[in-house]
Amino acid sequence: MYKFFIFLFFALPLSAYAGATDKLKNFIASTHSAQANFTQEVRDKSGKRIQSASGTMQFVRPGKFRWVYQKPFEQLIVGDGEKFWLHDVELNQVTVKKIDAALGSSPAALLSGNNEIERGFKLKDNGTKDSLEWLQATPRAKDTSFEKILMGFNAQSELMVMELQDAFGHTTVLRFSKLQRNPQLSPQLFKFVPPKGADVLGE
């Protein structure tokens, strides 16, 4: 399985003015929660699809999130504000880490953490392509999983696509649909108790 959890929490509509960088910053300041459907593809150096998945996501800033991978493998990923939980349903295996250790300087820090985006990432507008306005985010730290992240916004200033490029030449493409901004979400969505009999790895 590819490292799904590293780049989660991105399906988010943004404000309707200024460039892509300003839209991202405004989103961080104005959006408390979001939910969406997503599809995910991993492509190799030649652009060939080597993996695909789909599911739903929800989050409440800061640090609370729930991603459900429904196809092809059922996985549940929950952040409760203090710990990160990854449940592989087929294996009945749970991985748990502290939130800070799980996110670190990953792309998740762009949207699920505090407002100091530019402390961890260099941001710049990256032009228009395929009717989307693009932002490029480059991690300042050298020990991150991705070399750069591209984020594409539509005319309504919603984040529609993310492309995450790693050091091995792989590109992970996330596409979002049915976006909702600031929905009321139950706190129970962001609590996790390991199922009976599950192997629990980590802290």
Side-chain angles (χ1 to χ4, degrees), residues 24 33 83 88 143 155 188-189:
L24 174 62
S33 63
K83 292 185 178 181
D88 187 310
D143 58 346
Q188 296 301 317
L189 292 170

Side-chain angles (χ1 to χ4, degrees), residues 47-161:
K48 179 182 177 181
R49 185 176 66 183
I50 57 177
Q51 224 165 31
S52 62
S54 63
T56 60
M57 66 76 67
Q58 298 158 313
F59 83 88
V60 174
R61 297 182 59 245
K64 295 183 179 180
F65 48 85
R66 181 184 182 91
W67 282 65
V68 180
Y69 281 82
Q70 298 163 333
K71 296 179 180 179
F73 305 107
E74 189 176 353
Q75 288 184 317
L76 174 62
I77 299 166
V78 175
D80 62 12
E82 295 182 359
K83 292 185 178 181
F84 163 95
W85 303 88
L86 168 62
H87 180 211
D88 187 310
V89 176
E90 183 178 358
L91 297 177
N92 199 22
Q93 180 175 289
V94 175
T95 301
V96 57
K97 300 179 180 180
K98 291 182 179 179
I99 284 284
D100 291 346
L103 302 185
S105 298
S106 76
L110 276 170
L111 300 178
S112 65
N114 58 32
N115 294 344
E116 300 177 15
I117 303 170
E118 291 181 280
R119 187 170 70 175
F121 296 85
K122 297 178 182 177
L123 306 178
K124 71 173 184 178
D125 291 337
N126 206 43
T128 302
K129 179 182 177 182
D130 299 329
S131 300
L132 298 177
E133 185 178 357
W134 290 86
L135 163 73
Q136 178 176 305
T138 305
R140 295 184 184 276
K142 296 181 180 181
D143 58 346
T144 59
S145 299
F146 295 92
E147 292 191 334
K148 67 179 179 179
I149 307 157
L150 300 176
M151 309 166 78
F153 307 103
N154 66 9
Q156 289 72 44
S157 299
E158 296 171 331
L159 179 59
M160 302 301 293
V161 184

Side-chain angles (χ1 to χ4, degrees), residues 182-198:
N182 291 323
Q184 294 294 321
L185 300 173
S186 170
Q188 296 301 317
L189 292 170
F190 310 107
K191 295 182 180 180
F192 181 82
V193 176
K196 185 177 180 180

Side-chain angles (χ1 to χ4, degrees), residues 37-40 43 160-163 173-177:
N37 296 342
F38 70 90
T39 61
Q40 178 178 299
R43 301 172 181 171
M160 302 301 293
V161 184
M162 292 191 70
E163 296 185 1
V173 181
L174 290 165
R175 300 182 186 277
F176 307 106
S177 61

